[in-house]
Amino acid sequence: MRDLPWPARVYLVAVIVAAAALLVRSTITSGAPVAPEDLDVLLVLALLFLVCESMPTLLNVEQFAVSVSFSASLAAVVLLGPDGAALVGLTAVVSVRPGLPLVKRLFNGAQFAVCGYVAGWVYQALEGRVGVPQVNAFDDLIGPYAAATAVFVPLNIALTLTMIGLATNVRATEVPMRAMAQFLLSYLGYGTFGLLVAGLWATVQSISAVLVLLPLFVARWAFGQYHAQQRSYDATIAALCQAVETKDYYTRGHCTRVSLASSMIAQEIGMGTERVRAIRYAGMLHDVGKLGVPTKVLQKDGPLTEEEFAAIQLHPMRGLEIVRGIGFLDEAYAGIMHHHERHDGTGYPMGLAGDEIPEFAKVIAVADAFDSMTSDRSYRGARPVGVAVEELRKSAGTHFDPVMVAAFIRALDRDPWQPPRRVDSPPPDETPIKDHDDPTMPIEVVTGQ
């Protein structure tokens, strides 16, 4: 707790005190939060909550995971009422999730207790019946339960995001809206499991928890397989990127930075999660075709012959040939093939112009040029970010798509670019190379040879 900023400490204590006050109040007013005959229900729901809280489920959103434990709290809203729901949520304090600090356990337990109590109060206020539901009266629970869920989920997210903001200085507005929307919908969807537990309790009692846990664990396994597959994809891309950069001393790290800049543009123009992932792959692999270009051509420090320049112009097509068999790249193919096309039609390999250029290629062209300008090269030092941005503005409408340039500038205003570290002189056995991606450095071609 000593590592937390003082506002986060105050907030943490406030949430814990609020949870404790609610439990003390219920004890004073009713003698016990849960009646003795309902202790078995409390125990089963607490165990269900604990198991789910200890094994969060990954979502199809980067850096997001959701614990479906709150479905047990919502089941408690119906079966036990506000006090029981608060006690079930308090179980988060003893979560067996590996590496979870005590401070997080305390906060999770307190905020789940508060959310459960408030949701239970709403449920009762809308005349929801507390206790094991009667089969013929189940329909009467749906409205109050939906309202309780609609209160529990946003309150849970608000309490959590506030704590994250105070502890890390990350504002809620900085969380991508698409990610937040999917996170919220996933939470609301998992909330239906609580109603399922309560409904099944009338017929199979505690076995209902097992019937709910089984599909949850199957879903968790499926998500785990999906993310393991994504990690293997990332490893494949990283290996190809490393192979490209072994030929290029001064542009090592270039692929990763182009991938990052491309993702920034893609998110700014509103691409969906899957397309952002695909353009990240395209940024990593945009220069993979240089594996098919002779190293002596890539590293030539003087003017190129027409044949050598033709070899350079072919690298996007060679890149497509190399990665054509990698099925998961999808739309990334277009970015790899056409990232050297120009908005005015003077680019290569096909001389496409304007709307003829695929969207991925337009994005990567801006990201590629920007990183080239802001990185050290054998023939010059890195340009300041402001200078590179001005060059992009000058070339918007001729070299680059104006929409992509404007989107990247907006993204940079919100998330400033961190230039790569300065590159030391290459080892004696490595020839300084010339970069062919910098739009401010025309390539010299010797004709008639």
Side-chain angles (χ1 to χ4, degrees):
M1 184 169 177
R2 287 178 297 180
D3 296 333
L4 291 175
W6 71 265
R9 297 184 197 179
V10 172
Y11 178 72
L12 172 64
V13 172
V15 174
I16 293 174
V17 169
L22 291 175
L23 292 173
V24 169
R25 176 183 177 277
S26 66
T27 302
I28 294 175
T29 56
S30 58
V34 176
E37 60 270 21
D38 290 330
L39 288 178
D40 58 335
V41 179
L42 176 64
L43 178 61
V44 171
L45 292 180
L47 287 174
L48 175 62
F49 184 98
L50 183 61
V51 170
C52 294
E53 177 66 13
S54 301
M55 304 179 68
T57 300
L58 295 173
L59 294 177
N60 191 23
V61 179
E62 292 185 14
Q63 300 178 349
F64 276 88
V66 56
S67 167
V68 296
S69 54
F70 69 95
S71 60
S73 290
L74 289 170
V77 164
V78 177
L79 297 173
L80 300 173
D83 300 333
L87 285 176
V88 170
L90 198 61
T91 310
V93 174
V94 293
S95 168
V96 295
R97 192 187 307 179
L100 193 65
L102 178 61
V103 171
K104 290 186 178 180
R105 294 173 187 272
L106 292 173
F107 174 75
N108 287 342
Q111 66 95 1
F112 272 124
V114 171
C115 292
Y117 188 91
V118 173
W121 181 84
V122 170
Y123 177 79
Q124 285 189 321
L126 295 177
E127 300 182 353
R129 180 180 178 276
V130 176
V132 178
Q134 300 296 321
V135 176
N136 59 356
F138 184 77
D139 291 348
D140 297 335
L141 304 179
I142 297 178
Y145 181 87
T149 303
V151 170
F152 186 106
V153 171
L155 180 58
N156 172 260
I157 293 176
L159 290 173
T160 302
L161 286 182
T162 301
M163 185 62 182
I164 293 174
L166 293 174
T168 64
N169 294 320
V170 175
R171 293 172 297 181
T173 54
E174 296 178 12
V175 179
M177 292 305 298
R178 288 176 180 270
M180 181 56 66
Q182 185 172 348
F183 190 59
L184 179 60
L185 289 175
S186 298
Y187 243 84
L188 291 171
Y190 279 119
T192 60
F193 282 105
L195 185 60
L196 179 61
V197 171
L200 288 174
W201 203 282
T203 54
V204 292
Q205 296 187 350
S206 60
I207 302 299
S208 64
V210 177
L211 295 177
V212 171
L213 271 179
L214 183 60
L216 283 178
F217 278 113
V218 171
R220 186 183 184 280
W221 175 84
F223 275 120
Q225 293 299 306
Y226 172 80
H227 283 273
Q229 185 182 55
Q230 291 299 318
R231 287 193 295 271
S232 69
Y233 289 169
D234 291 344
T236 300
I237 299 301
L240 283 171
C241 183
Q242 186 176 19
V244 174
E245 294 184 345
T246 56
K247 303 182 71 170
D248 195 333
Y249 184 83
Y250 270 89
T251 59
R252 288 175 188 173
H254 172 66
C255 294
T256 303
R257 294 190 298 271
V258 171
S259 176
L260 173 60
S262 298
S263 299
M264 291 170 63
I265 299 172
Q267 291 169 352
E268 185 65 32
I269 63 177
M271 285 190 184
T273 302
E274 292 300 324
R275 294 191 76 205
V276 170
R277 179 179 289 109
I279 205 165
R280 180 167 58 85
Y281 290 152
M284 291 286 287
L285 294 177
H286 74 283
D287 274 343
V288 70
K290 288 184 177 179
L291 290 172
V293 179
T295 302
K296 66 179 182 180
V297 175
L298 288 176
Q299 296 185 346
K300 187 171 182 179
D301 201 30
L304 301 173
T305 66
E306 290 181 346
E307 291 78 11
E308 290 169 339
F309 184 51
I312 293 291
Q313 289 181 310
L314 282 174
H315 87 265
M317 300 180 69
R318 294 191 185 279
L320 183 61
E321 293 172 0
I322 291 171
V323 301
R324 189 187 298 274
I326 304 178
F328 64 82
L329 290 179
D330 299 323
E331 200 174 351
Y333 292 136
I336 295 169
M337 174 70 172
H338 296 290
H339 69 278
H340 276 294
E341 306 286 1
R342 294 190 176 191
H343 193 71
D344 60 7
T346 61
Y348 62 86
M350 298 180 65
L352 302 182
D355 292 338
E356 296 175 335
I357 304 173
E359 189 175 36
F360 270 33
K362 295 176 181 179
V363 171
I364 295 173
V366 174
D368 188 20
F370 176 79
D371 182 68
S372 178
M373 288 187 287
T374 55
S375 303
D376 283 328
R377 293 295 183 260
S378 60
Y379 54 91
R380 60 151 175 82
R383 290 181 171 86
V385 170
V387 173
V389 167
E390 190 57 35
E391 290 292 343
L392 291 178
R393 281 198 178 100
K394 290 178 181 177
S395 299
T398 54
H399 196 132
F400 308 112
D401 185 293
V403 173
M404 302 307 169
V405 171
F408 188 43
I409 293 173
R410 290 196 304 271
L412 289 175
D413 289 339
R414 186 177 59 256
D415 188 10
W417 185 259
Q418 298 297 324
R421 66 175 180 82
R422 295 195 64 82
V423 178
D424 299 327
S425 298
D429 59 342
E430 293 198 38
T431 306
I433 61 170
K434 189 170 183 177
D435 174 40
H436 302 286
D437 296 323
D438 186 346
T440 66
M441 297 296 296
I443 298 175
E444 300 177 50
V445 180
V446 179
T447 60
Q449 294 190 10

